[in-house]
């Protein structure tokens, strides 16, 4: 059984037809999901609820 070669593929140099539509669709869906995630993260991220730590450690206890 021979292994397939890239030169034997129909759309080796350019994407055409159904494959091109699938690639463009995946890119668009990824961009839309990224935009939704960014919007939700920035909207519901409560920076007011963060706990501030003011105490610093001067000596680390050794065992």
């Amino acid at each position: 059984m021979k292994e397939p070669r890239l030169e034997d593929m129909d759309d080796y140099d350019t994407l055409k037809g159904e494959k091109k539509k699938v690639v463009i669709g995946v890119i668009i869906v990824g961009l839309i999901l990224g935009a939704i995630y960014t919007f939700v993260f920035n909207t519901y991220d409560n920076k007011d609820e963060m706990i501030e730590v003011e105490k610093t450690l001067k000596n680390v206890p050794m065992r």
Side-chain angles (χ1 to χ4, degrees), residues 3-38:
E3 292 187 26
R5 298 182 319 161
L6 291 175
E7 293 82 13
D8 296 336
M9 296 177 122
D10 293 337
D11 58 355
Y12 173 66
D13 291 328
T14 59
L15 288 176
K16 297 177 185 173
E18 190 65 28
K19 287 184 182 181
K20 186 174 184 176
K21 290 178 184 176
V22 169
V23 170
I24 291 174
V26 168
I27 292 171
I28 290 172
V29 167
L31 290 172
I32 291 171
L33 288 176
I36 291 171
Y37 174 79
T38 303

